[in-house]
Amino acid sequence: MIEPARLRRDIQGVASRLALRGFTLDVARFEALDTRRRDLQAETERLRNERRTTSRRIGAAKAAGEDIAPLVAAVGGLGDRLSAAARDFDSVRAELDEFSRSLPNVPDASVPPGRDESDNLELRRWREPADFNFTPKDHVDLAPSLLDLEAAAKLSGARFSVLRGPLARLHRALVQFMVDTHVQDHGYEEVYVPYIVDRAALLGTGQLPKFEDDLFAVRGERDQFLIPTAEVPVTNLVRERILAASELPLRFVAHTPCFRSEAGNYGKDTRGMFRQHQFEKVELVQVVAAGDSWPALEELTGHAETILRKLDLPYRAVALCAGDLGFAAAKTIDLEVWLPAERRYREISSCSNFLDFQARRMMARCRSPESGRPEYVHTLNGSGLAVGRTLIAIMENYQDGDGAIHVPDALRAYMGGVTRLDAAA
RNA sequence: GGAGGGGUGGCUGAGCGGUCGAAAGCGCUGGUCUUGAAAACCAGAGGAGGAUCACCUCCCCAGGGUUCGAAUCCCUGCCCCUCCGCCA
């Protein structure tokens, strides 16, 4: 959420910053709502004050044995006027709240301008893509016996996978390797969290109220959803908390499945397991003091990059342009892995600094050691990494042209001695 | 699923429908004392929103209701605990 005082102070400035990301802020609507809000709030509070003062006087008069009838008569229509004003105030406030919660975060000044993916700014590359002396296959053609998309389609429809034998194991090995690296080398605390969350959690991280169509709702009497990312349950661990400064930074790593309806992506990445309704991800989440989030973004991105480097996968880092930025992010650095069959880099991790945007929505604060007052924390997260996509990258980059896929050295310990997968049918 | 008991400030825990944002204890912060610490003593301190920055309003799980007035009474929901049943 954008700071309400900032909206009131500089709505035009915010509007022009949001325009960079292609968002049109309805300035007139905000100003009209806020004017109404101010008037109704003043009126409501004035009436409440009057009621309180009079009621206390009645109490005092009664205790003194005086006649309270005239006083009671004096507050006559007050109740009705108050409830009318309060009702209007509540509805305007709800409208304003919905409006504010629908505004995306303001892009940081360092975010490159641009409309879409093609305007993203490449920051660095690591390892040039290898030259194959044969035509590399994509992951679908590589492992027909181990990646069974038809079986998955029979069970659940499009955009699901069934992995078999050593490929399923490689998938699991990746999870263990990633989590272990982040815990042992990078100092994260591993957490296990629910995969079903309520509306409040999704409001906190920004998936709601705007993106309900992207989620799978759970049927039943409860209003719950499958998590689209571990970001939701993990970041919400600090919701409505006032942390001690000494507790920060918090660094969590969680492995969870993620569920996305992919509504609006019907024609996109339909082949293979690149874009799925269900996939595994190892997620890094940091909660830091307000001044520390920019270095933390660099650090967290580096932690995700470490996984790619240990797996010896060619990748590049790009800064998302304003138009490509996610709803809650002030800045995002994507890591894109090289896929030889596609001959291009594809997203495998997205590392974002949300500044206090999520913290405001969640009321996640920390007590300032200087002032002793609560102030909003900053939150960050990034994939470390998307497991299914990493599996694709290994399959495609580690193929040998004879129908085999070699196991990266870093994963050997997790593969029980298996060093190559015979993936052909 | 059935039966019962609870949800009050960082924690424990009081609170006749009427200055109750709320006693007390612990913990916390500052001070006195001390070489330093502890102890003792003194003092201080909740959160949110608004504002004409003097103040005002809201918050005792949440949402309704009764009342001139609700932490306190009534209803609903949520959560926690105990027992029984079932169960990965």
Side-chain angles (χ1 to χ4, degrees):
Chain A
M1 211 155 60
I2 300 173
E3 184 188 1
R6 180 174 177 188
L7 291 178
R8 284 193 291 269
R9 187 183 347 110
D10 184 25
I11 188 74
Q12 288 295 353
V14 172
S16 66
R17 301 287 299 145
L18 292 184
L20 292 173
R21 56 189 299 162
F23 184 90
T24 307
L25 194 159
D26 190 342
V27 173
R29 172 140 188 266
F30 173 79
E31 286 178 338
L33 277 173
D34 195 55
T35 302
R36 252 174 82 65
R37 186 228 94 225
R38 195 176 54 240
D39 293 346
L40 286 166
Q41 178 160 0
E43 172 71 357
T44 305
E45 292 185 358
R46 194 186 59 76
L47 290 169
R48 281 217 176 93
N49 184 269
E50 193 180 330
R51 180 184 70 181
R52 200 161 103 115
T53 342
T54 314
S55 292
R56 282 189 175 167
R57 215 174 302 140
I58 292 174
K62 204 173 170 184
E66 295 164 12
D67 180 20
I68 61 168
L71 281 168
V72 173
V75 284
L78 207 155
D80 289 339
R81 278 193 292 150
L82 175 57
S83 54
R87 183 170 17 82
D88 291 347
F89 175 49
D90 284 346
S91 87
V92 170
R93 199 175 42 176
E95 221 176 313
L96 201 54
D97 193 55
E98 167 94 17
F99 181 89
S100 306
R101 283 182 181 278
S102 299
L103 301 183
N105 202 354
V106 174
D108 183 67
S110 68
V111 170
R115 293 174 58 100
D116 55 40
E117 214 181 330
S118 61
D119 296 317
N120 291 345
L121 177 70
E122 182 173 299
L123 301 172
R124 56 186 171 268
R125 289 188 185 203
W126 188 82
R127 283 274 143 85
E128 285 308 309
D131 280 327
F132 289 84
N133 55 13
F134 55 90
T135 306
K137 293 177 174 175
D138 80 359
H139 65 285
V140 179
D141 289 336
L142 260 174
S145 65
L146 301 180
L147 171 59
D148 194 344
L149 297 166
E150 282 173 35
K154 189 171 77 182
L155 301 174
S156 312
R159 294 201 193 277
F160 289 92
S161 322
V162 169
L163 307 180
R164 302 189 61 145
L167 191 61
R169 178 165 192 170
L170 184 60
H171 184 256
R172 178 164 54 90
L174 275 171
V175 170
Q176 307 306 332
F177 163 67
M178 291 179 192
V179 173
D180 283 351
T181 301
H182 295 310
V183 170
Q184 290 160 18
D185 300 350
H186 302 153
Y188 285 73
E189 178 187 352
E190 182 175 359
V191 284
Y192 170 81
V193 291
Y195 304 157
I196 295 177
V197 294
D198 63 17
R199 208 166 267 278
L202 289 153
L203 275 167
T205 33
Q207 284 76 16
L208 291 180
K210 285 196 85 175
F211 306 104
E212 188 159 347
D213 287 348
D214 297 338
L215 303 169
F216 284 110
V218 176
R219 264 178 107 159
E221 61 277 21
R222 303 280 222 94
D223 193 21
Q224 297 177 317
F225 300 85
L226 297 177
I227 57 170
T229 159
E231 166 192 352
V232 179
V234 176
T235 311
N236 273 278
L237 289 173
V238 296
R239 188 172 87 218
E240 287 157 52
R241 296 239 292 139
I242 300 175
L243 302 155
S246 59
E247 294 177 77
L248 300 180
L250 292 170
R251 294 190 183 91
F252 295 119
V253 57
H255 156 238
T256 72
C258 305
F259 304 93
R260 298 188 184 176
S261 80
E262 296 295 343
N265 283 323
Y266 297 112
K268 210 172 175 182
D269 299 317
T270 48
R271 181 173 166 83
M273 57 180 292
F274 188 82
R275 187 178 301 277
Q276 302 267 281
H277 288 310
Q278 172 187 320
F279 60 94
E280 306 292 300
K281 187 154 57 71
V282 171
E283 185 77 358
L284 305 174
V285 172
Q286 292 205 20
V287 178
V288 306
D292 299 341
S293 61
W294 292 115
L297 178 62
E298 296 304 319
E299 177 197 90
L300 184 148
T301 307
H303 293 153
E305 285 178 66
T306 298
I307 301 296
L308 286 162
R309 291 181 185 210
K310 287 192 169 196
L311 294 172
D312 208 15
L313 291 167
Y315 73 91
R316 63 173 193 166
V318 301
L320 295 196
C321 72
D324 205 24
L325 223 46
F327 179 77
K331 181 171 188 171
T332 297
I333 296 170
D334 270 10
L335 302 179
E336 298 181 341
V337 71
W338 177 256
L339 294 186
E342 288 192 44
R343 300 200 56 75
R344 61 171 173 148
Y345 289 98
R346 297 302 308 269
E347 178 190 339
I348 197 166
S349 172
S350 199
C351 304
S352 303
N353 185 357
F354 303 96
L355 300 177
D356 62 0
F357 186 85
Q358 294 182 324
R360 282 182 187 280
R361 293 174 156 244
M362 293 191 300
M363 292 299 284
R365 291 157 294 165
C366 124
R367 200 166 289 284
S368 157
E370 293 82 37
S371 66
R373 314 296 304 172
E375 55 185 42
Y376 292 105
V377 296
H378 283 189
T379 57
L380 307 97
N381 68 53
S383 348
L385 307 162
V387 180
R389 289 184 179 183
T390 309
L391 187 68
I392 292 173
I394 288 173
M395 291 169 76
E396 296 192 7
N397 282 284
Y398 279 83
Q399 59 183 306
D400 67 1
D402 297 322
I405 296 161
H406 292 268
V407 174
D409 290 345
L411 296 178
R412 297 266 163 99
Y414 295 94
M415 287 297 286
V418 176
T419 57
R420 64 196 292 274
L421 280 63
D422 286 309

